[in-house]
Amino acid sequence: MKKLFLLLVLAIGLSSTASAQEYFVYDGSVFSVMFKCNSANTQVLDVQFSSKDANGEWKWNTFTVTDSFDFEDTEVGGFIFNVKDGKNKSFAVDYYRDLDYVIVHAIKADGSYGTEWRCDKRK
């Protein structure tokens, strides 16, 4: 009976650890960006942005990640995710690790950057 109890506790502990996630939110004047990372904070699992729905309520929308670039070996560290929103508009989400903020760039049809928005980490 004692072994069964220990196995049950171990199974519950492993399942809750495996599904644990870290959330990091960066707020801007127009929208916010959220990264969902694994519990070890070594992998970004999901990138989302906030927007108002038809009722004027804020909600989170998932970006579709189309490409990613690792810049951890650079002076400020971080990464860039190229993403598309639900309306098929492309953006580059540029995270500066050492400075702890995000710049979102609209990507034009020719691949160049257009409008950009800075989002600072939520406290």
Side-chain angles (χ1 to χ4, degrees):
M1 184 69 169
K2 191 175 188 179
K3 286 182 183 180
L4 180 60
F5 177 73
L6 288 173
L7 287 174
L8 181 61
V9 169
L10 181 61
I12 291 171
L14 288 176
S15 66
S16 66
T17 302
S19 63
Q21 295 179 347
E22 297 286 332
Y23 298 87
F24 300 95
V25 178
Y26 295 82
D27 295 316
S29 60
V30 178
F31 57 88
S32 297
V33 174
M34 177 172 45
F35 299 113
K36 290 183 185 178
C37 300
N38 63 355
S39 59
N41 197 22
T42 57
Q43 180 182 15
V44 176
L45 305 173
D46 193 26
V47 182
Q48 297 186 7
F49 67 99
S50 64
S51 69
K52 287 187 180 180
D53 63 15
N55 298 323
E57 299 291 324
W58 285 97
K59 65 176 190 165
W60 288 104
N61 306 281
T62 300
F63 277 126
T64 300
V65 177
T66 59
D67 209 352
S68 63
F69 307 93
D70 183 359
F71 290 100
E72 284 301 318
D73 293 337
T74 65
E75 188 175 310
V76 294
F79 51 80
I80 294 177
F81 283 109
N82 285 352
V83 299
K84 287 190 177 187
D85 67 7
K87 297 179 181 176
N88 217 28
K89 293 181 182 176
S90 296
F91 301 89
V93 180
D94 194 355
Y95 170 67
Y96 294 82
R97 180 182 38 78
D98 287 352
L99 303 173
D100 209 12
Y101 65 81
V102 172
I103 295 182
V104 179
H105 307 271
I107 299 177
K108 298 178 183 180
D110 66 2
S112 64
Y113 286 174
T115 306
E116 68 179 43
W117 303 268
R118 178 177 167 149
C119 300
D120 294 300
K121 188 170 184 180
R122 185 179 289 177
K123 297 187 189 292

